[in-house]
Amino acid sequence: MNKLDALKFFITAAETLNFREASMKLSVSPSVVTRTIAELERELDEPLFTRNTRSIFLSSFGELFLPQAKRLLEDSEKLFQKSKDDNEMKGIVRITSLRFPKHEQVLYDLLTALRPYPELFIDWRLDMMKLDTVEHRIDMGIRVGREPNPNFIIKNITQVEHILVASPELVAHLGVPTDLEDLRQRYPFSGLLNPETGKIFEFMNDAVNTFVPRHVEFYTTDPYAEIQAALAGRAVVQSSDLICREYLASGQLVKPLPELRQEKWQFYLYRPYQTITPKRVTVIFSLLEKILRKHFVS
């Protein structure tokens, strides 16, 4: 027997002095009301009602018990409501993200927006690989990928194009490549290492085809370190226009094959589907989407 529910049944029955009317108010059958009251009487070892052939009345014990039951039920409702209200914007929210341009500014904007909630804490993890949401208790993440997982709630922010970039000095030194095969054969490349396998990520020509450079002369697990290798004239780098935009605009980097069109991926925000999602998670998810759109959607 749920004792709080039993108290609610008793109070309703005491106010109506009619089990059938009480059952209608409680949206249950009259037999459920009768059975619950009987169980409560056994629990208390006292009768709550007296009956004659036509009516029911509160017993002497029932009259004394009714105000106590009302106070207890009211206190319990206040307790649960207060607990819910107090905890809505308290606790920790874990966010995993790859490193991307302006990620420091995005984090600053988020933390600034959360100033009204001093007991809300952010766990911000920069990880090249996507963390398992269950194992690492991740609430949401920011990623770049081909097709976001349909098992997550996805907010696409913008499209990202994979491009090949090099310094103007390297292109001038080796000569403008005639095509992708010429670039692959004559130019040094940077290899981005997968930290889970220790192997280089594939070089994508498009959504289907890959290629293997003849000369890989720089290795790293950090896409931003690759950009430094390109800026220093040491290698051709396969990166994204998201990372390279400012360097292309300033002329520090160029596309050795400007006509080459490579695969486009999505830059997106995601969170797992959950039966119950705390308000703090939905609030931060919405804030983060607005902040990302402010910085990356013109």
Side-chain angles (χ1 to χ4, degrees):
M1 178 179 61
N2 183 310
K3 292 181 180 178
L4 290 178
D5 282 346
L7 290 179
K8 188 182 296 183
F9 279 40
F10 163 66
I11 292 167
T12 306
E15 289 173 344
T16 61
L17 292 177
N18 185 306
F19 282 12
R20 182 171 295 279
E21 186 179 341
S23 71
M24 293 176 64
K25 286 189 173 185
L26 294 164
S27 300
V28 298
S29 68
S31 62
V32 172
V33 175
T34 301
R35 185 172 64 250
T36 303
I37 296 297
E39 289 178 2
L40 184 58
E41 288 177 328
R42 284 195 295 272
E43 179 75 18
L44 296 168
D45 200 24
E46 289 279 357
L48 293 168
F49 296 93
T50 59
R51 301 164 178 80
N52 60 25
T53 55
R54 291 176 299 176
S55 305
I56 64 171
F57 306 90
L58 278 172
S59 67
S60 297
F61 177 82
E63 289 179 345
L64 294 172
F65 185 66
L66 179 59
Q68 298 177 52
K70 285 183 175 180
R71 281 197 302 272
L72 181 60
L73 195 61
E74 288 170 0
D75 289 345
S76 69
E77 289 175 351
K78 288 177 184 177
L79 174 65
F80 283 114
Q81 186 59 45
K82 184 175 186 301
S83 176
K84 179 182 177 183
D85 292 343
D86 286 350
N87 290 324
E88 279 186 334
M89 295 303 288
K90 285 183 180 179
I92 191 166
V93 174
R94 293 180 174 88
I95 304 170
T96 178
S97 175
L98 77 169
R99 187 181 174 195
F100 58 88
K102 301 182 182 178
H103 79 271
E104 297 97 338
Q105 185 62 49
V106 167
L107 177 57
Y108 174 82
D109 290 351
L110 177 63
L111 294 175
T112 301
L114 295 176
R115 282 176 181 167
Y117 311 108
E119 295 183 76
L120 183 56
F121 310 113
I122 299 298
D123 179 344
W124 181 270
R125 306 186 184 190
L126 286 179
D127 298 284
M128 183 177 177
M129 306 304 293
K130 189 175 182 179
L131 296 181
D132 182 87
T133 54
V134 176
E135 180 183 352
H136 297 279
R137 295 179 292 170
I138 297 300
D139 294 300
M140 66 192 71
I142 304 168
R143 288 286 140 187
V144 171
R146 284 192 179 92
E147 292 293 334
N149 190 326
N151 295 320
F152 292 94
I153 296 171
I154 302 294
K155 298 294 182 181
N156 287 321
I157 305 302
T158 189
Q159 278 195 325
V160 174
E161 183 180 0
H162 279 67
I163 57 175
L164 296 172
V165 294
S167 69
E169 294 76 16
L170 183 64
V171 174
H173 175 65
L174 295 177
V176 176
T178 56
D179 54 27
L180 181 59
E181 179 59 19
D182 183 33
L183 183 73
R184 186 186 75 83
Q185 289 285 347
R186 295 196 299 110
Y187 273 70
F189 277 75
S190 167
L192 184 63
L193 294 168
N194 183 331
E196 293 184 346
T197 65
K199 297 180 180 179
I200 296 174
F201 283 106
E202 289 183 326
F203 289 84
M204 299 299 301
N205 182 17
D206 50 40
V208 177
N209 300 304
T210 63
F211 67 94
V212 179
R214 186 175 179 182
H215 309 284
V216 178
E217 300 182 5
F218 181 78
Y219 299 85
T220 182
T221 56
D222 180 10
Y224 284 80
E226 281 198 300
I227 297 300
Q228 297 306 310
L231 290 169
R234 296 298 302 270
V236 174
V237 169
Q238 181 172 259
S239 187
S240 71
D241 60 353
L242 190 69
I243 295 177
C244 299
R245 197 166 293 163
E246 63 177 282
Y247 300 110
L248 291 168
S250 67
Q252 292 174 274
L253 293 177
V254 296
K255 298 178 183 179
L257 293 171
E259 72 284 355
L260 182 66
R261 290 290 173 262
Q262 294 186 272
E263 190 177 11
K264 290 186 177 181
W265 287 8
Q266 291 294 333
F267 178 53
Y268 63 94
L269 173 68
Y270 70 93
R271 65 179 174 88
Y273 283 103
Q274 293 179 318
T275 305
I276 299 174
T277 303
K279 182 179 178 180
R280 63 182 178 273
V281 173
T282 58
V283 167
I284 291 178
F285 191 73
S286 178
L287 276 174
L288 198 48
E289 180 189 0
K290 290 177 182 177
I291 292 168
L292 288 168
R293 291 192 185 283
K294 179 183 76 172
H295 287 289
F296 296 104
V297 179
S298 55

